[in-house]
Amino acid sequence: MTSKPAVSPKAGLAAAVTAVSAGAILVRLSGAPSSVAAFYRVLFTTLPLALVGAWRYRGEFVRIRSRDLGFAVLSGIALAVHFAAWFESLRWTSVAASVTLVQAQPVFVALGAWLVLRERVTRRMAVGIAVAVAGMASMSIGDFLGGVAVGPRPLYGNALALSGAIAAAGYVLAGRSLRQRISLVPYVTVVYGVCAFVLLAFVLAAGHSLGGYPPREWLLFAGLAVGPGLLGHTVLNWALAHLESSVVSVSLLGEPVGATLLALVLLSEAPTPATVGGGCVVLVGIYVTAAADR
C-alpha cells in the first residue's frame, strides 16, 4: 500500500498542470530557433535524471532487454519529432490552437492502437474521435471563414501541432508496455537521451548554433526543463501513484485552458471565437476518447 504523502496529490497535480501550461509561453518568449529550444529543454531535463539513474538504478540499465531497448529508442525518436513539430507550430499559430491540437494525442493513440495493435475501438471511443476531429476541422478553417486569424500562418502551425500530436501518440504506443518492465527513471533516461540526440541532429542539420545565446535564452531553456519537464511531467508521474490514472489524464485537459489564459495575460493574445469554440469541441472529444480508453 502506498503511504500517505506529505503533500496533497491533488495539490501536486494542480501545480503540475500549471507548470506544463507554461511550456508554450516559454517557447513563444524564446527568440532561439524552435529546434534549439526543444533540444535544451530535453537535455536539461535528462541530465539530472541520468545522474539519479547512474547512482540508484545502474543495475537496471544493464538488465534492459535488446527488444525493449529498441522500442525505447523508437519512443525517443517519436518524442523528438513531437517536440520539434510542436515548438515550431507555436511560431505560426496561436497558443490556444497549438496547445489544444497537440493535446489531442489520446485520439491518435486510440486510432494507432486499432490500426497497429489491433485493439478494439468501442462505440464511445469512436464518438469521441469523431467529435475531436470535427473540433480540429472547426479550429483550422473557422478563423479563415470568419476573416480573422491569429498567427502568421495558422493553417501551417495547426498542421505542425497535429503532427506533434501524432508523434506523441507514437511515443505512447511505442512505450505502452515498457513501463511494466522498466522502472521510471531508467525508462525516461533512455527515452529522453535518444530524444535529445535526435533533436541535436535536427539542430545541426538546420545549421543552427548551439551557443552564443544571451542569458535570457538560457534562463528560458532552463525554465522549460525545470517547469514543464521536471516539475510538470515528473510530478504527474508521482501523482499516478496516489490518484487514479483517469483523474490524472483528464486533468491534462487543463493545459490548453491554462496556456490560453497565460497567453492572454502575458502575451495579450486573445483567441478567436472559432478557436475557442473548436477548442471546446476538441476537449470534449479528447475527454470522451480518454474516458472510454481507460
Side-chain angles (χ1 to χ4, degrees):
M1 180 180 294
T2 303
S3 60
K4 185 177 180 180
V7 179
S8 167
K10 291 184 178 179
L13 186 59
V17 172
T18 302
V20 170
S21 300
I25 308 303
L26 295 174
V27 173
R28 181 63 71 80
L29 291 173
S30 173
S34 55
S35 58
V36 173
F39 167 68
Y40 280 118
R41 167 184 165 155
V42 177
L43 179 65
F44 291 163
T45 302
T46 306
L47 291 177
L49 291 171
L51 291 175
V52 173
W55 175 42
R56 296 194 58 181
Y57 300 92
R58 189 179 308 168
E60 293 195 33
F61 283 100
V62 178
R63 292 194 295 270
I64 297 177
R65 296 181 298 182
S66 58
R67 184 172 183 272
D68 289 344
L69 185 62
F71 277 107
V73 169
L74 289 175
S75 183
I77 293 172
L79 186 61
V81 175
H82 159 72
F83 278 127
W86 177 48
F87 276 38
E88 184 65 17
S89 78
L90 287 162
R91 309 290 186 192
W92 303 101
T93 190
S94 68
V95 169
S98 175
V99 177
T100 302
L101 292 172
V102 83
Q103 192 63 22
Q105 58 93 1
V107 173
F108 296 108
V109 168
L111 286 172
W114 172 58
L115 292 171
V116 179
L117 304 179
R118 303 302 180 191
E119 294 183 5
R120 186 171 65 93
V121 175
T122 66
R123 181 176 300 178
R124 188 176 179 184
M125 290 170 66
V127 170
I129 292 170
V131 170
V133 170
M136 293 173 198
S138 174
M139 289 182 70
S140 297
I141 67 175
D143 291 338
F144 288 93
L145 294 178
V148 179
V150 178
R153 293 177 62 188
L155 274 180
Y156 176 62
N158 291 352
L160 284 172
L162 280 175
S163 299
I166 294 171
Y171 159 67
V172 171
L173 290 171
R176 191 153 191 161
S177 63
L178 293 182
R179 278 286 290 114
Q180 299 175 20
R181 299 186 296 276
I182 306 174
S183 298
L184 175 64
V185 172
Y187 171 72
V188 297
T189 299
V190 172
V191 172
Y192 289 176
V194 172
C195 178
F197 181 80
V198 174
L199 286 172
L200 176 61
F202 287 167
V203 171
L204 297 178
H208 298 314
S209 174
L210 289 172
Y213 298 103
R216 176 179 179 274
E217 291 296 331
W218 293 105
L219 288 174
L220 289 172
F221 298 157
L224 282 166
V226 174
L230 294 174
L231 296 181
H233 290 286
T234 302
V235 175
L236 285 171
N237 281 298
W238 168 80
L240 282 169
H242 305 283
L243 297 171
E244 293 182 5
S245 59
S246 59
V247 175
V248 176
S249 62
V250 171
S251 72
L252 284 173
L253 298 184
E255 180 185 354
V257 178
T260 300
L261 292 175
L262 288 173
L264 179 61
V265 173
L266 300 177
L267 304 176
S268 299
E269 183 179 286
T272 65
T275 297
V276 173
C280 290
V281 174
V282 172
L283 293 180
V284 171
I286 295 171
Y287 170 77
V288 172
T289 305
D293 191 39
R294 74 171 181 263

